[in-house]
Amino acid sequence: MAAKTDHKILVSCPNWVGDVVMATPALETIRENNPRAHIAVMVRPHLEPVIAGLPYYDEIISYDSKTRHRSVKAKLRLSR
């Protein structure tokens, strides 16, 4: 039987490689403080390899902030 998830957390990652790298300790802290939560990270497609394989999240949501998911409304729709 799978572990029960307490809640869901969506983390919107920064748009630059260096900023994503510097954000990984924050992802680690979020996981440590919410071990049973489902954590999804929203990241631009070219940044997925930067965080791929890290144990701090359960799901990667890829988004295109320049076209398809440009508006706040589109990002909210994607996050749901």
Side-chain angles (χ1 to χ4, degrees):
M1 186 168 148
K4 182 179 181 273
T5 300
D6 286 339
H7 53 283
K8 295 179 180 182
I9 299 172
L10 175 64
V11 179
S12 180
C13 287
N15 294 328
W16 299 96
V17 173
D19 293 342
V20 171
V21 171
M22 292 189 325
T24 56
L27 292 173
E28 180 180 15
T29 300
I30 292 168
R31 171 54 74 202
E32 286 175 356
N33 290 307
N34 301 279
R36 293 175 41 175
H38 178 88
I39 300 173
V41 292
M42 194 164 63
V43 63
R44 292 174 67 186
H46 72 278
L47 296 172
E48 284 186 43
V50 176
I51 61 169
L54 293 177
Y56 312 132
Y57 61 86
D58 300 298
E59 174 184 10
I60 293 178
I61 300 172
S62 181
Y63 76 99
D64 184 355
S65 64
K66 293 188 179 194
T67 58
R68 187 172 177 203
H69 306 112
R70 185 175 184 168
S71 70
V72 172
K73 185 177 179 180
K75 284 182 185 175
L76 287 173
R77 196 175 322 120
L78 174 66
S79 68
R80 289 185 185 162

